[in-house]
Amino acid sequence: MSLRNGLMALCVAWGVAGCGATQPEPVTEQETGVSEAAATATRIYATEASLELSFETMGTFETRNGRRVMVLRATANRYLQDVFSFIPDDIYGEANVISERRFEVVLDVENELNAVLSGLPLFVGVSTFTGTPTHYTAKIEVFPRFFDFRGSEGMWVDEKVDPYFVQTGTGNVVYRGRVDGPLQSLAVTAADGVPTVSASGANSYRLDWSYVTAHEAMDPHTVPLTFTASLVDGSTVQKTARLVPRVTSLALTTGDAYEVWPTPECQLPVYNCIHAQPQGTTDYAACGTFRQVQRCWYVNDICGATTPQALSLEPRDAASLEPARLAWNVGSNGGVWYGLKPIEAYSTPQCPQSPPTLQGIFEKLQWSAEYRDMPGFESGTVTNREGLAQSVFLGNSGYGNGVALLSALDAYAGGGEVQAWFATSEVPCHNCHEFNRFAVLYYPATRTVIVLQGYTGYDS
């Protein structure tokens, strides 16, 4: 059973509101609209095949049947047969047809709104009487956003209030905004929903709300928050703005929503960021949004939870090896000369499709113009740690101090097993002998690749 048919069956079986029919009537198609809303936009549009949908970007709060709800209103260019709202694997919220071409999506403030505001996309199944096809799915995202800014231009209140993963003792989601400007102090006041204000760098303040206080700040949406700041010139300025739930994106498809918009997996950079934080960290905003961090929070085997990566070489900062390189070059003279070029370093994928090989790494390097002068892989010597002294770079060869250089490379890469490739190519030299020298070192335990390029020469 397809996603659409399965959810429609649930809709019929459970008697979900909004599944009733209305009388069909032909309607003229509209032009394609935008899919992302700025603070000043009042509607957001999406078009697929013969259907155009538009949502009012601002959600409003009402009391229905004794419970507080947030309502999103939408319009179609086709007469509506039925609508239903859902998240992956479950009916979610309540969708109702309210006239031939208008419908609403209702989210309970206590049990549903927080999940959507924290980044959970909401799907809306839409069936029409006319057009081809007649079945669609919309995806909307809703976040808290400031608008209706009034007052001084001496401070800048960011429109965005985004969800982040912060362990507060009462929950893991914090809604965070920002105020910038030449500020010495900042205070925020409101009837309800006052954020925690804290300095977050020069001329910048952070605003943090829990879900409860964010809801209080938005409901009712007609009441603004007031920002009062002391500027560095000694003056005091004030600004007001209203915080509202806003539809920030809208997309439409005739396909299976789970295939068109699959739930993202834990991303490696996010996972690594989480595990790189010091012990005792509670604020993970530096690692990504709330949903990005949450998807990685309980992952133990990152390679089992992510798609394997093809072999690639990600550049790494090797500036810390510069003193060792310069030390190796000491002693070059007119009779015996040598030099090591700036050292380059790379990382292989954390979760590779197959274990990287030294030859595979070499072939990736050769795609770069920087390494196309290296001899072919078969023209070099492949060895391990026991054979590193064979390289003029890393042994006591009478040129630079290879032992000291190897010690620096091991410290940088973490030591352990090494797979190495060395090669030499002679270059023309009048009454002398000169050679280009190459080395590629791979440390599998730390996925580190180091490339050495240089030269040696002497008089005949």
Side-chain angles (χ1 to χ4, degrees), residues 32 40 43 61 105 109 134 148 158 161 186 203 205 217 222 271 278 294 326 332 359 444:
T32 301
T40 54
R43 301 196 74 88
F61 291 92
V105 178
V109 163
T134 58
D148 190 22
D158 194 347
V161 174
L186 176 68
N203 302 324
Y205 282 81
T222 55
Y271 176 89
Q294 185 191 52
L326 295 175
S332 179
Q359 184 169 356

Side-chain angles (χ1 to χ4, degrees), residues 381-404:
T381 299
V382 175
T383 186
N384 53 24
R385 180 170 290 278
E386 285 68 31
L388 294 182
Q390 297 177 46
S391 169
V392 296
F393 294 130
L394 305 176
N396 292 318
S397 58
Y399 297 107
N401 187 338
V403 174

Side-chain angles (χ1 to χ4, degrees), residues 274-341:
I274 292 170
H275 291 274
Q277 301 306 306
Q279 186 175 4
T281 295
T282 58
D283 190 330
Y284 293 87
C287 299
T289 66
F290 171 77
R291 292 289 167 180
Q292 288 171 332
V293 173
Q294 185 191 52
R295 282 191 285 268
C296 295
W297 191 251
Y298 297 104
V299 171
N300 294 317
D301 177 13
I302 182 59
C303 291
T306 58
T307 302
Q309 303 164 286
L311 178 61
S312 62
L313 297 178
E314 183 70 22
R316 288 180 53 175
D317 184 0
S320 62
L321 293 173
E322 184 64 5
R325 180 187 77 87
L326 295 175
W328 192 89
N329 290 342
V330 171
S332 179
N333 58 62
V336 177
W337 58 92
Y338 48 90
L340 176 60
K341 297 178 182 180

Side-chain angles (χ1 to χ4, degrees), residues 63-100:
T63 299
R64 296 188 180 182
N65 300 320
R67 63 191 181 108
R68 201 66 175 161
V69 297
M70 191 273 290
V71 183
L72 302 171
R73 294 177 174 84
T75 301
N77 71 327
R78 296 282 174 180
Y79 275 62
L80 298 167
Q81 184 176 28
D82 49 59
V83 292
F84 60 97
S85 56
F86 63 101
I87 57 174
D89 301 322
D90 200 4
I91 296 290
Y92 201 78
E94 180 181 310
N96 307 303
V97 175
I98 55 178
S99 70
E100 286 88 348

Side-chain angles (χ1 to χ4, degrees), residues 208-221:
D208 281 355
W209 288 266
S210 66
Y211 168 67
V212 171
T213 54
H215 168 232
E216 291 173 347
M218 292 186 290
D219 183 9
H221 66 275

Side-chain angles (χ1 to χ4, degrees), residues 142-437:
V142 184
F143 292 101
R145 292 292 184 262
F146 276 113
F147 87 118
D148 190 22
F149 299 95
R150 303 184 186 191
S152 172
E153 296 183 356
M155 72 176 100
W156 180 75
V157 180
D158 194 347
E159 168 203 349
K160 295 182 178 180
V161 174
D162 286 329
Y164 292 101
F165 196 102
V166 180
Q167 295 177 301
T168 64
T170 57
N172 291 331
V173 61
V174 161
Y175 293 91
R176 179 164 292 170
R178 194 177 84 243
V179 179
D180 294 323
L183 313 178
Q184 283 191 328
S185 65
L186 176 68
V188 182
T189 56
D192 288 299
V194 175
T196 300
V197 180
S198 57
S200 60
N203 302 324
S204 184
Y205 282 81
R206 187 174 66 203
L207 313 176
D208 281 355
W209 288 266
S210 66
Y211 168 67
V212 171
T213 54
H215 168 232
E216 291 173 347
M218 292 186 290
D219 183 9
H221 66 275
T222 55
V223 179
L225 286 82
T226 300
F227 302 84
T228 304
S230 297
L231 304 186
V232 293
D233 63 6
S235 63
T236 299
V237 297
Q238 196 169 80
K239 174 173 278 187
T240 63
R242 288 192 278 161
L243 187 64
V244 297
R246 185 175 290 282
V247 180
T248 60
S249 70
L250 168 63
L252 191 60
T253 184
T254 57
D256 188 307
Y258 296 167
E259 295 178 359
V260 177
W261 304 301
T263 300
E265 62 187 15
C266 171
Q267 300 297 308
L268 275 170
V270 177
Y271 176 89
N272 290 335
C273 176
I274 292 170
H275 291 274
Q277 301 306 306
Q279 186 175 4
T281 295
T282 58
D283 190 330
Y284 293 87
C287 299
T289 66
F290 171 77
R291 292 289 167 180
Q292 288 171 332
V293 173
Q294 185 191 52
R295 282 191 285 268
C296 295
W297 191 251
Y298 297 104
V299 171
N300 294 317
D301 177 13
I302 182 59
C303 291
T306 58
T307 302
Q309 303 164 286
L311 178 61
S312 62
L313 297 178
E314 183 70 22
R316 288 180 53 175
D317 184 0
S320 62
L321 293 173
E322 184 64 5
R325 180 187 77 87
L326 295 175
W328 192 89
N329 290 342
V330 171
S332 179
N333 58 62
V336 177
W337 58 92
Y338 48 90
L340 176 60
K341 297 178 182 180
I343 299 171
E344 303 291 339
Y346 304 88
S347 291
T348 60
Q350 186 172 350
C351 300
Q353 293 175 345
S354 58
T357 64
L358 187 61
Q359 184 169 356
I361 291 169
F362 181 89
E363 290 170 354
K364 281 292 181 183
L365 289 170
Q366 286 200 310
W367 280 101
S368 171
E370 186 176 0
Y371 304 120
R372 287 178 184 169
D373 290 338
M374 289 195 300
F377 187 79
E378 67 285 350
S379 299
T381 299
V382 175
T383 186
N384 53 24
R385 180 170 290 278
E386 285 68 31
L388 294 182
Q390 297 177 46
S391 169
V392 296
F393 294 130
L394 305 176
N396 292 318
S397 58
Y399 297 107
N401 187 338
V403 174
L405 178 60
L406 178 58
S407 178
L409 297 181
D410 279 345
Y412 174 84
E417 177 192 355
V418 183
Q419 300 173 18
W421 172 90
F422 306 134
T424 300
S425 63
E426 189 168 6
V427 297
C429 185
H430 183 64
N431 292 328
C432 61
H433 297 277
E434 185 166 315
F435 304 88
N436 286 333
R437 307 285 187 169

